[in-house]
Amino acid sequence: MHLEPVHIIWFRHDLRVTDNKALFYACQDKQAQVHAIFTVTPEQWQAHDMALSRQALIHDALLELSQSLAKLNIPLTILLSDTYSNAASSVAEYCQQHHATALFFNYEYELNERHRDNRVIELLENKVTIYAYHDNVFIAPGNVVTQQGEMYKVFTPFKNAFLRLFFSQDNTSLSRPDIRTHQHPVESLSAPLFPIKKENKLDYLTTEKDALLRLKQFCYETVSHYAKWRDIPSIEGTSQLSPYLAVGLISVRQCFNRLYHTEPHFVENSTSGEFVWFNELIWREFYQHLIVANPYLCQYRAFQSWTENIKWDNNEDNFTAWTQGLTGYPIIDAAMRQLNQTGWMHNRLRMLTASFLVKDLLIDWRWGERYFMTKLLDGEFSANNGGWQWAASTGTDAVPYFRIFNPTTQGKKFDPEGEFIRQWLPELINVPARYIHTPHEWTMKTNSYIDYPLPIVDHAKARVNAIEAYEKAKNQ
Protein backbone atom coordinates (compact mmCIF):
# COMPACT_ATOMS: atom_id res chain seq x y z
CA MET A 1 0.00 0.00 0.00
CA HIS A 2 1.45 3.36 -1.07
CA LEU A 3 1.16 5.89 1.70
CA GLU A 4 3.07 8.78 0.14
CA PRO A 5 1.31 10.80 -2.59
CA VAL A 6 2.24 9.91 -6.18
CA HIS A 7 1.94 12.81 -8.64
CA ILE A 8 2.02 12.29 -12.41
CA ILE A 9 2.92 15.26 -14.62
CA TRP A 10 1.72 14.72 -18.20
CA PHE A 11 3.81 16.80 -20.58
CA ARG A 12 2.38 17.83 -23.94
CA HIS A 13 3.44 21.00 -25.77
CA ASP A 14 5.14 22.41 -22.68
CA LEU A 15 8.57 20.73 -22.81
CA ARG A 16 10.35 22.82 -20.17
CA VAL A 17 10.99 22.79 -16.43
CA THR A 18 10.82 26.56 -15.81
CA ASP A 19 7.53 28.44 -15.78
CA ASN A 20 5.51 25.28 -16.29
CA LYS A 21 2.33 25.45 -14.22
CA ALA A 22 1.52 21.74 -14.17
CA LEU A 23 5.07 20.76 -13.21
CA PHE A 24 5.32 23.51 -10.61
CA TYR A 25 2.14 22.45 -8.83
CA ALA A 26 2.91 18.72 -9.13
CA CYS A 27 6.10 19.41 -7.17
CA GLN A 28 4.63 21.51 -4.38
CA ASP A 29 4.05 18.60 -2.00
CA LYS A 30 7.54 17.69 -0.79
CA GLN A 31 6.29 14.27 0.34
CA ALA A 32 5.08 13.33 -3.14
CA GLN A 33 6.82 11.07 -5.58
CA VAL A 34 6.67 12.72 -9.00
CA HIS A 35 6.69 10.85 -12.32
CA ALA A 36 6.59 12.48 -15.77
CA ILE A 37 4.98 11.05 -18.90
CA PHE A 38 4.70 12.07 -22.55
CA THR A 39 2.35 10.40 -25.04
CA VAL A 40 3.61 9.83 -28.60
CA THR A 41 0.76 9.33 -31.10
CA PRO A 42 2.17 8.84 -34.64
CA GLU A 43 -1.15 8.07 -36.34
CA GLN A 44 -2.85 11.05 -34.74
CA TRP A 45 0.08 13.30 -35.63
CA GLN A 46 -0.18 12.15 -39.23
CA ALA A 47 -3.94 12.78 -39.26
CA HIS A 48 -3.19 16.29 -37.96
CA ASP A 49 -0.60 16.78 -40.74
CA MET A 50 2.20 17.35 -38.22
CA ALA A 51 5.46 18.19 -40.02
CA LEU A 52 8.27 15.65 -39.77
CA SER A 53 10.56 18.51 -38.77
CA ARG A 54 8.28 19.33 -35.85
CA GLN A 55 8.21 15.68 -34.77
CA ALA A 56 12.03 15.73 -34.84
CA LEU A 57 12.06 18.92 -32.75
CA ILE A 58 9.72 17.30 -30.19
CA HIS A 59 11.93 14.19 -30.11
CA ASP A 60 15.11 16.16 -29.46
CA ALA A 61 13.42 18.48 -26.97
CA LEU A 62 12.18 15.44 -25.02
CA LEU A 63 15.74 14.10 -24.74
CA GLU A 64 16.82 17.41 -23.22
CA LEU A 65 13.74 17.53 -20.99
CA SER A 66 14.52 14.07 -19.62
CA GLN A 67 17.99 15.32 -18.58
CA SER A 68 16.51 18.39 -16.86
CA LEU A 69 13.97 16.22 -15.04
CA ALA A 70 16.64 13.69 -14.05
CA LYS A 71 18.44 16.52 -12.20
CA LEU A 72 15.20 16.95 -10.25
CA ASN A 73 15.06 13.17 -9.69
CA ILE A 74 11.89 12.92 -11.79
CA PRO A 75 11.80 10.00 -14.26
CA LEU A 76 10.26 10.60 -17.71
CA THR A 77 8.38 7.77 -19.42
CA ILE A 78 7.36 7.83 -23.08
CA LEU A 79 3.97 6.18 -23.74
CA LEU A 80 3.61 5.10 -27.37
CA SER A 81 0.01 4.98 -28.66
CA ASP A 82 -1.40 5.28 -32.17
CA THR A 83 -4.25 7.68 -31.51
CA TYR A 84 -5.50 10.08 -28.87
CA SER A 85 -8.15 7.55 -27.87
CA ASN A 86 -5.44 4.97 -27.15
CA ALA A 87 -3.32 7.63 -25.47
CA ALA A 88 -6.14 8.38 -23.03
CA SER A 89 -6.26 4.69 -22.06
CA SER A 90 -2.44 4.56 -21.73
CA VAL A 91 -2.38 7.56 -19.41
CA ALA A 92 -5.17 6.12 -17.24
CA GLU A 93 -3.42 2.73 -17.07
CA TYR A 94 -0.07 4.34 -16.17
CA CYS A 95 -1.71 6.31 -13.36
CA GLN A 96 -3.36 3.20 -11.94
CA GLN A 97 -0.23 1.02 -12.26
CA HIS A 98 1.80 3.61 -10.35
CA HIS A 99 -0.93 4.16 -7.71
CA ALA A 100 -1.15 7.83 -8.69
CA THR A 101 -3.00 10.10 -6.31
CA ALA A 102 -3.01 13.08 -8.70
CA LEU A 103 -2.50 13.83 -12.41
CA PHE A 104 -1.31 17.27 -13.51
CA PHE A 105 -1.36 18.68 -17.05
CA ASN A 106 -1.65 21.93 -18.98
CA TYR A 107 -4.66 22.41 -21.25
CA GLU A 108 -4.54 22.10 -25.02
CA TYR A 109 -7.41 23.82 -26.82
CA GLU A 110 -7.90 21.96 -30.10
CA LEU A 111 -11.04 19.82 -30.35
CA ASN A 112 -9.46 16.34 -30.56
CA GLU A 113 -7.10 17.18 -27.71
CA ARG A 114 -10.02 18.28 -25.55
CA HIS A 115 -11.88 15.04 -26.32
CA ARG A 116 -8.76 13.07 -25.32
CA ASP A 117 -8.46 14.94 -22.03
CA ASN A 118 -12.15 14.50 -21.25
CA ARG A 119 -11.74 10.76 -21.84
CA VAL A 120 -8.83 10.62 -19.36
CA ILE A 121 -10.95 12.50 -16.81
CA GLU A 122 -13.78 9.95 -17.30
CA LEU A 123 -11.44 6.95 -16.95
CA LEU A 124 -9.88 8.27 -13.74
CA GLU A 125 -13.04 9.62 -12.14
CA ASN A 126 -13.14 8.96 -8.36
CA LYS A 127 -9.72 7.27 -8.59
CA VAL A 128 -7.21 10.06 -9.25
CA THR A 129 -7.49 13.79 -8.57
CA ILE A 130 -6.90 15.79 -11.76
CA TYR A 131 -5.42 19.29 -11.87
CA ALA A 132 -5.36 21.12 -15.21
CA TYR A 133 -3.91 24.58 -15.91
CA HIS A 134 -4.11 27.29 -18.56
CA ASP A 135 -0.39 27.50 -19.26
CA ASN A 136 -0.14 28.12 -23.01
CA VAL A 137 -1.92 31.50 -22.86
CA PHE A 138 -1.73 34.67 -20.79
CA ILE A 139 -5.44 34.58 -19.91
CA ALA A 140 -7.70 31.51 -19.86
CA PRO A 141 -10.06 31.33 -22.87
CA GLY A 142 -13.56 32.51 -22.04
CA ASN A 143 -12.37 35.41 -19.90
CA VAL A 144 -11.72 38.03 -22.59
CA VAL A 145 -15.32 38.59 -23.69
CA THR A 146 -17.81 41.32 -24.60
CA GLN A 147 -20.24 42.82 -22.09
CA GLN A 148 -22.70 40.19 -23.34
CA GLY A 149 -20.22 37.47 -22.38
CA GLU A 150 -19.43 36.51 -25.98
CA MET A 151 -16.08 35.97 -27.69
CA TYR A 152 -14.93 38.98 -29.72
CA LYS A 153 -15.19 38.63 -33.50
CA VAL A 154 -12.76 41.49 -34.19
CA PHE A 155 -9.16 41.61 -33.01
CA THR A 156 -8.80 45.25 -31.87
CA PRO A 157 -11.60 45.23 -29.26
CA PHE A 158 -10.31 41.82 -28.12
CA LYS A 159 -6.83 43.30 -27.73
CA ASN A 160 -8.12 46.31 -25.76
CA ALA A 161 -10.11 44.07 -23.39
CA PHE A 162 -7.15 41.70 -23.13
CA LEU A 163 -4.76 44.51 -22.17
CA ARG A 164 -7.10 45.79 -19.44
CA LEU A 165 -7.38 42.31 -17.97
CA PHE A 166 -3.73 41.40 -18.49
CA PHE A 167 -2.35 44.35 -16.56
CA SER A 168 -4.73 43.76 -13.68
CA GLN A 169 -3.23 40.31 -12.96
CA ASP A 170 0.13 38.86 -12.01
CA ASN A 171 2.07 37.67 -15.06
CA THR A 172 5.39 36.85 -13.45
CA SER A 173 6.97 33.51 -14.29
CA LEU A 174 6.86 30.52 -12.00
CA SER A 175 10.22 29.38 -10.73
CA ARG A 176 11.81 26.05 -11.51
CA PRO A 177 10.50 23.49 -9.01
CA ASP A 178 12.96 22.87 -6.18
CA ILE A 179 12.36 19.22 -5.47
CA ARG A 180 14.13 15.93 -4.85
CA THR A 181 11.38 13.36 -4.98
CA HIS A 182 13.20 10.07 -5.50
CA GLN A 183 15.86 8.80 -3.18
CA HIS A 184 17.81 7.15 -5.97
CA PRO A 185 19.23 9.09 -8.93
CA VAL A 186 17.08 8.98 -12.05
CA GLU A 187 18.56 8.26 -15.47
CA SER A 188 17.68 10.39 -18.46
CA LEU A 189 16.36 8.85 -21.68
CA SER A 190 18.53 8.02 -24.65
CA ALA A 191 17.71 8.22 -28.36
CA PRO A 192 15.71 7.11 -30.21
CA LEU A 193 12.58 7.70 -28.14
CA PHE A 194 10.26 6.96 -31.06
CA PRO A 195 10.71 6.49 -34.82
CA ILE A 196 11.26 9.76 -36.69
CA LYS A 197 12.33 10.76 -40.17
CA LYS A 198 14.31 13.96 -40.43
CA GLU A 199 12.90 15.58 -43.54
CA ASN A 200 15.35 18.47 -43.51
CA LYS A 201 18.27 19.59 -41.40
CA LEU A 202 16.95 20.84 -38.06
CA ASP A 203 18.47 24.31 -37.78
CA TYR A 204 16.74 24.94 -34.49
CA LEU A 205 18.59 24.21 -31.27
CA THR A 206 16.45 22.07 -29.06
CA THR A 207 17.04 22.98 -25.43
CA GLU A 208 15.13 25.21 -23.05
CA LYS A 209 18.40 27.06 -22.42
CA ASP A 210 18.81 27.75 -26.15
CA ALA A 211 15.26 29.08 -26.37
CA LEU A 212 15.75 31.45 -23.43
CA LEU A 213 19.05 32.63 -24.87
CA ARG A 214 17.45 33.39 -28.23
CA LEU A 215 14.63 35.27 -26.46
CA LYS A 216 17.16 37.32 -24.49
CA GLN A 217 19.20 38.07 -27.60
CA PHE A 218 16.11 39.13 -29.55
CA CYS A 219 14.91 41.44 -26.77
CA TYR A 220 18.32 43.10 -26.32
CA GLU A 221 19.42 43.35 -29.96
CA THR A 222 16.43 43.27 -32.33
CA VAL A 223 13.06 43.98 -30.77
CA SER A 224 13.49 47.79 -30.71
CA HIS A 225 13.78 47.62 -34.53
CA TYR A 226 11.00 45.05 -34.92
CA ALA A 227 8.35 47.45 -36.24
CA LYS A 228 10.67 48.49 -39.10
CA TRP A 229 12.43 45.18 -39.77
CA ARG A 230 9.69 42.58 -39.39
CA ASP A 231 8.42 42.87 -42.98
CA ILE A 232 11.83 42.51 -44.64
CA PRO A 233 12.53 38.81 -45.24
CA SER A 234 16.19 39.26 -46.18
CA ILE A 235 17.14 40.30 -42.65
CA GLU A 236 16.61 38.57 -39.31
CA GLY A 237 14.09 41.10 -38.08
CA THR A 238 11.63 38.71 -36.42
CA SER A 239 12.10 36.74 -33.22
CA GLN A 240 11.96 33.28 -34.86
CA LEU A 241 10.76 32.04 -31.47
CA SER A 242 7.56 30.47 -32.84
CA PRO A 243 8.94 26.87 -32.94
CA TYR A 244 10.00 27.20 -29.30
CA LEU A 245 6.52 28.45 -28.35
CA ALA A 246 4.87 25.69 -30.42
CA VAL A 247 6.56 22.86 -28.48
CA GLY A 248 6.73 24.80 -25.23
CA LEU A 249 10.47 25.24 -24.77
CA ILE A 250 9.51 28.76 -23.64
CA SER A 251 6.25 30.23 -22.36
CA VAL A 252 4.39 33.38 -23.37
CA ARG A 253 4.93 34.70 -19.84
CA GLN A 254 8.69 34.35 -20.23
CA CYS A 255 8.42 36.31 -23.49
CA PHE A 256 6.53 39.11 -21.78
CA ASN A 257 8.77 39.18 -18.71
CA ARG A 258 11.95 39.39 -20.78
CA LEU A 259 10.39 42.14 -22.90
CA TYR A 260 9.25 44.05 -19.81
CA HIS A 261 12.65 43.63 -18.20
CA THR A 262 14.32 45.06 -21.33
CA GLU A 263 11.92 48.01 -21.73
CA PRO A 264 9.47 48.52 -18.82
CA HIS A 265 7.62 51.41 -20.55
CA PHE A 266 6.94 49.74 -23.89
CA VAL A 267 3.19 49.55 -23.26
CA GLU A 268 2.98 53.33 -23.33
CA ASN A 269 4.09 53.45 -26.97
CA SER A 270 1.94 51.36 -29.31
CA THR A 271 4.28 52.06 -32.27
CA SER A 272 7.41 50.80 -30.52
CA GLY A 273 9.04 47.59 -31.73
CA GLU A 274 8.42 46.07 -28.31
CA PHE A 275 4.68 46.75 -28.39
CA VAL A 276 4.32 45.63 -32.02
CA TRP A 277 5.94 42.28 -31.09
CA PHE A 278 3.75 41.93 -27.98
CA ASN A 279 0.79 42.58 -30.28
CA GLU A 280 1.79 39.47 -32.28
CA LEU A 281 1.64 37.42 -29.07
CA ILE A 282 -1.87 38.81 -28.50
CA TRP A 283 -2.87 37.66 -32.03
CA ARG A 284 -1.63 34.18 -31.07
CA GLU A 285 -3.78 34.41 -27.94
CA PHE A 286 -6.80 35.62 -29.96
CA TYR A 287 -6.68 32.58 -32.24
CA GLN A 288 -6.46 30.16 -29.29
CA HIS A 289 -9.44 31.78 -27.58
CA LEU A 290 -11.29 31.63 -30.90
CA ILE A 291 -11.04 27.84 -31.34
CA VAL A 292 -12.38 27.33 -27.81
CA ALA A 293 -15.35 29.62 -28.49
CA ASN A 294 -15.89 28.12 -31.97
CA PRO A 295 -14.78 24.46 -31.90
CA TYR A 296 -16.06 23.92 -35.47
CA LEU A 297 -12.95 25.79 -36.66
CA CYS A 298 -11.03 22.62 -35.76
CA GLN A 299 -13.17 20.75 -38.32
CA TYR A 300 -11.87 22.74 -41.31
CA ARG A 301 -14.96 24.96 -41.45
CA ALA A 302 -14.88 28.63 -42.35
CA PHE A 303 -15.73 31.22 -39.72
CA GLN A 304 -17.74 33.21 -42.30
CA SER A 305 -20.31 30.63 -43.37
CA TRP A 306 -21.16 32.34 -46.68
CA THR A 307 -17.62 31.64 -47.92
CA GLU A 308 -18.44 27.93 -47.99
CA ASN A 309 -20.35 28.77 -51.22
CA ILE A 310 -17.21 29.83 -53.10
CA LYS A 311 -16.64 27.79 -56.26
CA TRP A 312 -12.94 27.00 -56.08
CA ASP A 313 -10.92 26.21 -59.20
CA ASN A 314 -8.65 23.72 -57.32
CA ASN A 315 -6.33 23.10 -60.28
CA GLU A 316 -3.94 20.39 -59.07
CA ASP A 317 -1.11 21.38 -61.42
CA ASN A 318 -1.25 24.95 -60.14
CA PHE A 319 -1.31 23.69 -56.55
CA THR A 320 1.77 21.55 -57.20
CA ALA A 321 3.58 24.52 -58.79
CA TRP A 322 2.77 26.57 -55.67
CA THR A 323 4.01 23.88 -53.27
CA GLN A 324 7.29 23.51 -55.21
CA GLY A 325 7.99 27.22 -55.61
CA LEU A 326 7.50 27.16 -59.40
CA THR A 327 4.72 29.72 -59.96
CA GLY A 328 6.84 32.21 -61.92
CA TYR A 329 6.37 34.85 -59.19
CA PRO A 330 9.80 35.13 -57.51
CA ILE A 331 8.73 36.34 -54.04
CA ILE A 332 6.13 33.55 -53.81
CA ASP A 333 8.54 30.89 -55.04
CA ALA A 334 11.39 32.00 -52.76
CA ALA A 335 9.04 31.88 -49.76
CA MET A 336 7.78 28.39 -50.59
CA ARG A 337 11.30 27.07 -51.04
CA GLN A 338 12.30 28.59 -47.69
CA LEU A 339 9.38 26.70 -46.12
CA ASN A 340 10.22 23.41 -47.86
CA GLN A 341 13.90 23.55 -46.97
CA THR A 342 13.81 24.94 -43.43
CA GLY A 343 10.33 24.25 -42.01
CA TRP A 344 9.86 27.97 -41.34
CA MET A 345 8.57 30.92 -43.34
CA HIS A 346 8.78 34.65 -42.71
CA ASN A 347 5.44 35.99 -41.44
CA ARG A 348 4.92 38.60 -44.19
CA LEU A 349 5.51 35.88 -46.75
CA ARG A 350 2.98 33.56 -45.11
CA MET A 351 0.38 36.22 -45.91
CA LEU A 352 1.57 36.66 -49.49
CA THR A 353 1.81 32.96 -50.34
CA ALA A 354 -1.61 32.28 -48.79
CA SER A 355 -3.22 35.17 -50.64
CA PHE A 356 -1.63 33.98 -53.91
CA LEU A 357 -2.91 30.42 -53.53
CA VAL A 358 -6.45 31.45 -52.61
CA LYS A 359 -7.02 34.56 -54.69
CA ASP A 360 -4.66 34.27 -57.65
CA LEU A 361 -5.09 30.52 -58.14
CA LEU A 362 -8.59 30.26 -56.63
CA ILE A 363 -7.60 27.17 -54.64
CA ASP A 364 -9.42 26.28 -51.42
CA TRP A 365 -7.57 27.74 -48.42
CA ARG A 366 -7.79 24.36 -46.66
CA TRP A 367 -5.37 22.86 -49.20
CA GLY A 368 -2.82 25.48 -48.26
CA GLU A 369 -3.51 25.29 -44.53
CA ARG A 370 -2.87 21.55 -44.54
CA TYR A 371 0.24 21.84 -46.72
CA PHE A 372 1.72 24.41 -44.33
CA MET A 373 1.09 22.09 -41.37
CA THR A 374 2.97 19.28 -43.13
CA LYS A 375 6.03 21.55 -43.38
CA LEU A 376 5.97 23.99 -40.47
CA LEU A 377 8.31 23.50 -37.54
CA ASP A 378 6.07 25.93 -35.62
CA GLY A 379 2.77 24.48 -36.83
CA GLU A 380 0.21 25.37 -34.16
CA PHE A 381 -3.30 24.66 -35.40
CA SER A 382 -4.93 27.83 -34.04
CA ALA A 383 -2.36 30.25 -35.45
CA ASN A 384 -2.07 28.46 -38.80
CA ASN A 385 -5.84 28.19 -39.24
CA GLY A 386 -6.33 31.80 -38.12
CA GLY A 387 -3.67 33.05 -40.54
CA TRP A 388 -5.09 31.12 -43.48
CA GLN A 389 -8.67 32.19 -42.81
CA TRP A 390 -7.47 35.79 -42.47
CA ALA A 391 -5.70 35.67 -45.85
CA ALA A 392 -8.62 33.86 -47.49
CA SER A 393 -11.19 36.40 -46.15
CA THR A 394 -13.13 33.50 -44.62
CA GLY A 395 -12.18 34.16 -41.00
CA THR A 396 -12.97 36.53 -38.17
CA ASP A 397 -11.62 40.05 -38.70
CA ALA A 398 -10.19 38.85 -42.00
CA VAL A 399 -8.80 40.99 -44.80
CA PRO A 400 -11.73 42.09 -47.06
CA TYR A 401 -12.18 39.69 -49.97
CA PHE A 402 -11.56 42.44 -52.53
CA ARG A 403 -8.18 43.30 -51.00
CA ILE A 404 -5.82 41.12 -52.98
CA PHE A 405 -2.05 41.32 -52.68
CA ASN A 406 -0.19 41.89 -55.95
CA PRO A 407 2.77 39.49 -55.64
CA THR A 408 5.00 41.58 -57.89
CA THR A 409 4.48 44.93 -56.16
CA GLN A 410 4.65 43.24 -52.73
CA GLY A 411 7.96 41.69 -53.74
CA LYS A 412 9.29 45.07 -54.86
CA LYS A 413 8.15 46.63 -51.58
CA PHE A 414 9.61 44.10 -49.15
CA ASP A 415 12.58 42.69 -51.10
CA PRO A 416 13.47 45.62 -53.39
CA GLU A 417 16.98 44.45 -54.29
CA GLY A 418 15.95 40.80 -54.49
CA GLU A 419 18.36 39.66 -51.75
CA PHE A 420 15.87 37.18 -50.31
CA ILE A 421 14.83 35.98 -53.77
CA ARG A 422 18.41 35.25 -54.84
CA GLN A 423 19.05 33.36 -51.61
CA TRP A 424 16.29 30.84 -52.41
CA LEU A 425 16.13 31.00 -56.21
CA PRO A 426 19.72 30.48 -57.37
CA GLU A 427 18.49 30.32 -60.98
CA LEU A 428 17.85 34.10 -60.75
CA ILE A 429 21.25 34.95 -59.29
CA ASN A 430 22.37 36.93 -62.36
CA VAL A 431 19.13 38.85 -62.92
CA PRO A 432 19.65 42.58 -62.16
CA ALA A 433 17.74 44.06 -59.21
CA ARG A 434 15.61 46.13 -61.59
CA TYR A 435 14.14 42.96 -63.12
CA ILE A 436 14.40 40.50 -60.21
CA HIS A 437 10.62 40.55 -59.68
CA THR A 438 9.84 40.22 -63.40
CA PRO A 439 12.82 38.17 -64.64
CA HIS A 440 11.29 37.25 -68.00
CA GLU A 441 11.21 40.93 -68.96
CA TRP A 442 14.97 40.87 -68.58
CA THR A 443 15.39 37.70 -70.64
CA MET A 444 13.31 39.18 -73.47
CA LYS A 445 15.26 42.44 -73.49
CA THR A 446 18.69 40.82 -73.33
CA ASN A 447 17.95 37.57 -75.17
CA SER A 448 19.15 35.69 -72.07
CA TYR A 449 17.98 32.34 -70.73
CA ILE A 450 16.93 31.40 -67.20
CA ASP A 451 15.66 28.03 -66.04
CA TYR A 452 12.62 29.55 -64.38
CA PRO A 453 8.92 29.17 -65.28
CA LEU A 454 6.76 31.86 -66.78
CA PRO A 455 4.00 33.09 -64.42
CA ILE A 456 1.32 30.38 -64.22
CA VAL A 457 -1.43 33.00 -63.93
CA ASP A 458 -2.00 36.63 -64.95
CA HIS A 459 -2.47 38.49 -61.67
CA ALA A 460 -4.76 41.22 -63.07
CA LYS A 461 -7.16 38.65 -64.57
CA ALA A 462 -6.95 36.41 -61.51
CA ARG A 463 -7.91 39.34 -59.27
CA VAL A 464 -11.07 39.99 -61.28
CA ASN A 465 -11.97 36.28 -61.20
CA ALA A 466 -11.44 36.04 -57.44
CA ILE A 467 -13.63 39.06 -56.66
CA GLU A 468 -16.33 37.66 -58.93
CA ALA A 469 -16.19 34.23 -57.23
CA TYR A 470 -16.47 35.79 -53.76
CA GLU A 471 -19.32 38.12 -54.78
CA LYS A 472 -21.28 35.24 -56.32
CA ALA A 473 -20.85 33.24 -53.09
CA LYS A 474 -21.89 36.18 -50.93
CA ASN A 475 -25.03 36.84 -52.96
CA GLN A 476 -26.26 33.24 -52.93
Side-chain angles (χ1 to χ4, degrees):
M1 181 76 180
H2 283 253
L3 297 175
E4 74 274 15
V6 177
H7 290 179
I8 312 294
I9 158 75
W10 180 11
F11 283 92
R12 291 100 88 85
H13 296 131
D14 48 3
L15 306 181
R16 62 186 184 279
V17 297
T18 48
D19 192 40
N20 184 320
K21 288 186 181 179
L23 177 62
F24 180 81
Y25 290 112
C27 295
Q28 288 308 290
D29 184 345
K30 301 301 180 200
Q31 304 305 312
Q33 263 195 47
V34 181
H35 298 258
I37 56 173
F38 182 89
T39 52
V40 172
T41 51
E43 269 184 37
Q44 194 81 44
W45 288 355
Q46 191 175 6
H48 287 179
D49 304 303
M50 188 192 285
L52 295 177
S53 59
R54 188 171 177 206
Q55 293 181 35
L57 178 59
I58 289 169
H59 178 277
D60 293 356
L62 279 167
L63 286 173
E64 293 291 340
L65 177 66
S66 74
Q67 290 184 21
S68 301
L69 290 171
K71 289 173 187 169
L72 299 169
N73 285 10
I74 299 173
L76 173 63
T77 301
I78 304 296
L79 303 178
L80 195 58
S81 308
D82 289 332
T83 63
Y84 280 166
S85 178
N86 293 343
S89 301
S90 297
V91 169
E93 282 169 22
Y94 184 92
C95 288
Q96 288 172 299
Q97 283 167 6
H98 290 80
H99 307 284
T101 52
L103 173 67
F104 297 77
F105 61 79
N106 294 316
Y107 284 114
E108 292 182 305
Y109 300 119
E110 295 83 0
L111 193 58
N112 290 342
E113 284 79 348
R114 286 161 68 190
H115 287 159
R116 173 202 61 198
D117 293 352
N118 289 337
R119 181 66 183 141
V120 169
I121 292 165
E122 280 174 22
L123 291 169
L124 294 177
E125 193 175 7
N126 301 324
K127 298 171 190 167
V128 176
T129 308
I130 293 176
Y131 298 95
Y133 304 92
H134 295 281
D135 180 76
N136 196 32
V137 287
F138 290 112
I139 298 171
N143 287 312
V144 186
V145 290
T146 65
Q147 288 182 334
Q148 289 73 41
E150 295 173 357
M151 172 64 193
Y152 286 96
K153 293 181 172 64
V154 179
F155 174 70
T156 301
F158 172 88
K159 176 184 75 174
N160 294 337
F162 168 87
L163 289 171
R164 283 193 299 273
L165 211 53
F166 178 76
F167 286 104
S168 68
Q169 64 179 31
D170 177 21
N171 290 289
T172 55
S173 289
L174 296 156
S175 62
R176 170 176 160 149
D178 179 21
I179 186 165
R180 293 291 178 270
T181 51
H182 293 259
Q183 292 180 1
H184 304 291
V186 169
E187 287 189 16
S188 58
L189 299 172
S190 55
L193 304 179
F194 53 88
I196 52 164
K197 295 175 189 167
K198 295 211 176 182
E199 188 177 41
N200 44 35
K201 180 178 174 289
L202 196 59
D203 288 329
Y204 270 76
L205 301 167
T206 56
T207 72
E208 187 177 342
K209 187 179 173 185
D210 294 325
L212 290 169
L213 196 62
R214 176 167 276 192
L215 171 62
K216 186 176 181 180
Q217 194 175 2
F218 171 71
C219 286
Y220 281 114
E221 296 175 11
T222 310
V223 75
S224 59
H225 305 286
Y226 180 77
K228 296 194 295 285
W229 290 358
R230 69 184 184 133
D231 285 324
I232 305 168
S234 61
I235 60 175
E236 287 204 6
T238 65
S239 73
Q240 296 188 30
L241 290 165
S242 52
Y244 295 137
L245 282 165
V247 301
L249 283 170
I250 53 171
S251 74
V252 285
R253 289 174 300 280
Q254 287 171 313
C255 291
F256 172 79
N257 288 335
R258 174 55 69 186
L259 194 60
Y260 187 77
H261 181 75
T262 313
E263 177 44 74
H265 303 290
F266 81 85
V267 181
E268 295 159 23
N269 179 6
S270 62
T271 61
S272 68
E274 290 85 354
F275 191 91
V276 173
W277 185 60
F278 184 49
N279 196 58
E280 292 301 307
L281 294 176
I282 303 173
W283 268 106
R284 178 180 180 272
E285 185 103 354
F286 179 55
Y287 287 139
Q288 292 195 75
H289 285 224
L290 206 63
I291 63 169
V292 174
N294 305 283
Y296 64 84
L297 294 173
C298 297
Q299 297 169 317
Y300 296 104
R301 284 162 58 192
F303 185 86
Q304 305 285 355
S305 56
W306 67 266
T307 63
E308 298 287 10
N309 300 326
I310 295 168
K311 298 287 185 285
W312 302 106
D313 187 28
N314 289 347
N315 181 301
E316 292 195 13
D317 290 341
N318 284 350
F319 180 69
T320 300
W322 177 82
T323 63
Q324 294 178 357
L326 294 169
T327 68
Y329 285 90
I331 196 68
I332 303 298
D333 294 339
M336 293 305 294
R337 293 196 207 175
Q338 179 187 40
L339 172 65
N340 291 338
Q341 290 175 45
T342 69
W344 185 82
M345 190 194 289
H346 188 278
N347 186 53
R348 165 60 57 174
L349 302 182
R350 295 188 198 206
M351 289 190 271
L352 297 185
T353 52
S355 175
F356 184 84
L357 181 77
V358 175
K359 293 178 180 173
D360 283 73
L361 301 182
L362 211 57
I363 288 174
D364 192 330
W365 57 272
R366 286 162 276 233
W367 290 30
E369 180 195 9
R370 295 188 79 158
Y371 184 77
F372 266 33
M373 283 301 278
T374 67
K375 297 293 176 185
L376 283 172
L377 197 55
D378 61 8
E380 284 189 290
F381 175 83
S382 54
N384 188 50
N385 178 270
W388 271 95
Q389 293 223 42
W390 182 90
S393 305
T394 63
T396 178
D397 201 15
V399 62
Y401 67 86
F402 47 81
R403 183 180 161 202
I404 299 174
F405 290 122
N406 181 319
T408 305
T409 55
Q410 288 284 307
K412 287 175 179 175
K413 184 176 180 180
F414 297 114
D415 191 29
E417 299 300 312
E419 291 173 64
F420 179 80
I421 286 169
R422 287 191 192 86
Q423 181 184 351
W424 297 103
L425 305 181
E427 60 267 46
L428 302 185
I429 198 90
N430 295 320
V431 178
R434 186 180 167 192
Y435 295 104
I436 193 68
H437 300 282
T438 52
H440 292 289
E441 278 185 27
W442 177 70
T443 60
M444 286 167 66
K445 285 188 177 178
T446 58
N447 206 23
S448 309
Y449 171 76
I450 48 172
D451 184 19
Y452 183 67
L454 287 162
I456 60 173
V457 67
D458 179 308
H459 172 71
K461 289 177 184 172
R463 183 180 182 280
V464 172
N465 291 341
I467 291 172
E468 191 178 302
Y470 274 78
E471 285 179 348
K472 269 187 186 171
K474 195 165 192 180
N475 295 327
Q476 270 187 33

